[in-house]
Amino acid sequence: MSPRLQLLFESLQKLLRRKSYSHVERLLTRARPADVAVVMRFLDERHTGRVFELMPDDDARAELLSELDPHLRLGLLRERPVPEVVRLVRRMSPDDLADLLAELPDDVRTQLIDALEPAEAEEVEDLLHYDADTAGGIMSPDYFALPENTTAAEAINALRSAAEDVEATFYIYVVNEHGHLVGVLSLRELVVNKAETMLGQIMATDVISATVDTDQEEVARLAARYNLLAVPVVDNANHLVGIVTIDDVIDVIREEATEDILKMVGADQSAFAGESVLKNFWTRAPWLFATWLGGLAASLLIGAFQHELETQVALAAFIPIVLGMGGNVGTQTATIMVRGMATGRVSGGIGWRYLVRETGVGVLMGVLYGLLLGGYALLRFSGHAGAVRLAVIVGVSILASMINAATIGAITPLIFERLKIDPAVATGPIVTTAVDVMGIVVYFTVASVVGHVD
């Protein structure tokens, strides 16, 4: 939390405990709703409703609703009568309202939609028909488009007239007589050209756009790749139906990154959604079960090599480091691959080139740490007759384990992608367990081949 947010949190907490509500109201008048939304995550549950009520006006409360975490938002709305909720949501932008309605129970959603004006209800229902994770699900239907035979002067006047109805105008979109998207120009291009110039003469015809069913992650990639402040969204007939603005793009990037990180450890958004202990338990337990199975398999493998351990007791001292180094390499490699896939840097044939590269990195790291660990073993057991053999065993095992781990860490996400399964799940128990099991097999196989350590 930044110093400004920390100060706001401490001030609100202190005033709420003292029940100095008039001071809270004055403080909230000066605070931004987006900052209040962050602070409300850390307030006691009994105080969140009071803060919401003390916001300056309905516009501020509506903006706060759009910024709040879903579980906080739903908690606040459940406590309020439908007419009050309707009054608030009518002040929200259509895309934010659609996101809110998608989270509500069916009966409450129906009541709210029925209470809206017919035009507003139709607009929101159209957005609700799209999958939440697509361009259609995150787009705003408020955009600014004009025919290609409009002059620059007419466009400026039209923009002034529509200023209150359009949420954000970064570009002028140009459509033909059938409503098809045919061009785009920036506000700068509009004002620097002569008043009588038609938009069709100055527009860029190579428009970067997304279709309504384009995945939201791909929309974010388009915005990042081409440095766009908004991405136009078209239907299958190339009719312009909405835009995805930069604030939604940032939300998508943050959401997707959080989702990938949570999947890497076998969790999901419920970890931050105020869900019960039992809900979080059932979400995370299955992935830990995979790790449990892997650990059980590893223990059975170690038992199968009991004879080697009995005759070569010194081998046991190096099991943790061989498995730990391999596990870290596997997790590093899998994380690099998954993040590369998420950002579009690793895909198709490029992915297999990354596999070769990561395997090469595993070889170099294996050589380095194999020499270091082998050297340590040689010094540590220098008084034993089998010190050289032990050094060779642990050195070769580290080398083989790291090469194996890098290969598993790189190839597993590629296989998951080919199978149309989210590669983020590959960096959790699957890679860790596979690397541990293979590490034990490699370690004791090398020990058996090299020979007994006295």
Side-chain angles (χ1 to χ4, degrees):
M1 193 183 298
S2 68
R4 184 181 67 184
L5 292 178
Q6 184 67 36
L7 178 61
L8 177 60
F9 168 66
E10 292 173 356
S11 300
L12 274 176
Q13 194 174 45
K14 187 184 300 181
L15 293 171
L16 287 166
R17 284 174 181 169
R18 295 175 181 173
K19 298 184 178 181
S20 301
Y21 298 135
S22 59
H23 291 87
V24 172
E25 193 168 5
R26 284 197 294 271
L27 179 60
L28 292 175
T29 302
R30 300 192 302 269
R32 291 186 174 92
D35 290 341
V36 177
V38 174
V39 168
M40 284 179 68
R41 298 172 184 168
F42 306 98
L43 291 176
D44 293 339
E45 189 173 337
R46 66 181 185 275
H47 289 151
T48 54
R50 178 68 68 178
V51 169
F52 187 75
E53 292 168 0
L54 293 174
M55 291 295 289
D57 51 40
D58 282 347
D59 286 331
R61 277 186 279 273
E63 187 177 349
L64 178 59
L65 277 178
S66 66
E67 297 288 348
L68 279 173
D69 292 344
H71 69 283
L72 291 175
R73 184 160 54 198
L74 293 179
L76 289 171
L77 293 180
R78 287 195 193 100
E79 301 171 358
R80 282 159 177 75
V82 172
E84 180 184 348
V85 176
V86 171
R87 192 178 72 247
L88 292 174
V89 299
R90 291 186 66 182
R91 287 169 166 79
M92 298 174 68
S93 63
D95 54 328
D96 288 337
L97 176 53
D99 291 339
L100 172 63
L101 293 176
E103 300 163 2
L104 296 174
D106 292 342
D107 55 336
V108 178
R109 183 189 310 127
T110 302
Q111 289 182 63
L112 290 178
I113 292 176
D114 290 344
L116 295 173
E117 294 293 333
E120 294 174 330
E122 182 180 0
E123 196 172 47
V124 171
E125 285 185 311
D126 287 343
L127 292 176
L128 288 172
H129 289 153
Y130 301 113
D131 290 339
D133 295 336
T134 62
I138 62 173
M139 73 179 182
S140 169
D142 294 334
Y143 57 88
F144 190 73
L146 293 170
E148 52 189 327
N149 59 356
T150 306
T151 65
E154 291 170 339
I156 291 173
N157 290 330
L159 185 58
R160 286 173 181 157
S161 301
E164 293 183 1
D165 299 325
V166 181
E167 179 184 1
T169 305
F170 302 110
Y171 304 103
I172 309 296
Y173 296 102
V174 184
V175 295
N176 60 19
E177 64 273 15
H178 304 294
H180 297 153
L181 179 63
V182 294
V184 63
L185 68 153
S186 67
L187 297 182
R188 179 185 178 279
E189 291 168 326
L190 180 65
V191 298
V192 299
N193 279 279
K194 295 180 179 180
E196 65 274 12
T197 306
M198 289 193 295
L199 300 186
Q201 297 174 298
I202 56 176
M203 68 183 185
T205 56
D206 183 19
V207 186
I208 305 299
S209 63
T211 59
V212 290
D213 55 356
T214 301
D215 187 87
Q216 63 175 8
E217 201 167 359
E218 179 58 27
V219 178
R221 287 197 197 108
L222 288 174
R225 185 180 306 140
Y226 298 106
N227 299 316
L228 301 175
L229 296 174
V231 178
V233 182
V234 297
D235 61 17
N236 294 329
N238 199 40
H239 293 111
L240 182 61
V241 293
I243 58 172
V244 178
T245 52
I246 189 64
D247 57 323
D248 293 317
V249 168
I250 292 172
D251 288 342
V252 168
I253 293 172
R254 181 176 56 194
E255 177 186 325
E256 294 289 346
T258 301
E259 182 181 328
D260 286 348
I261 291 169
L262 290 173
K263 283 182 178 178
M264 290 176 189
V265 294
D268 61 17
Q269 293 286 353
S270 64
F272 299 125
E275 299 286 356
S276 65
V277 171
L278 194 60
K279 168 68 175 176
N280 276 276
F281 165 76
W282 285 116
T283 299
R284 293 153 66 176
W287 285 109
L288 292 179
F289 182 71
T291 305
W292 180 83
L293 286 178
L296 185 62
S299 67
L300 293 174
L301 281 172
I302 292 175
F305 290 102
Q306 184 176 353
H307 176 70
E308 280 74 11
L309 280 175
E310 290 176 348
T311 57
Q312 309 174 69
V313 178
L315 288 174
F318 294 94
I319 292 177
I321 191 169
V322 171
L323 298 187
M325 295 295 288
N328 286 335
V329 170
T331 301
Q332 278 183 343
T333 304
T335 301
I336 290 169
M337 295 293 289
V338 169
R339 195 57 197 151
M341 291 174 179
T343 58
R345 295 180 179 180
V346 179
S347 61
I350 297 177
W352 298 103
R353 290 206 294 270
Y354 268 81
L355 169 62
V356 174
R357 191 197 73 173
E358 291 301 317
T359 302
V361 172
V363 171
L364 293 178
M365 289 192 293
V367 170
L368 172 62
Y369 287 101
L371 290 173
L372 289 175
L373 190 60
Y376 169 78
L378 192 61
L379 292 174
R380 172 69 178 79
F381 296 93
S382 57
H384 296 73
V388 173
R389 269 183 263 172
L390 177 61
V392 171
I393 289 172
V394 297
V396 172
S397 295
I398 280 285
L399 171 62
S401 178
M402 285 191 164
I403 295 173
N404 176 65
T407 304
I408 291 175
I411 201 170
T412 306
L414 292 174
I415 293 173
F416 273 53
E417 184 185 42
R418 184 64 62 87
L419 296 175
K420 307 299 182 185
I421 300 173
D422 192 337
V425 300
T427 59
I430 295 175
V431 168
T432 304
T433 301
V435 168
D436 283 351
V437 171
M438 292 301 297
I440 290 172
V441 173
V442 166
Y443 187 43
F444 285 105
T445 300
V446 171
S448 299
V449 172
V450 173
H452 293 296
V453 177
D454 299 331

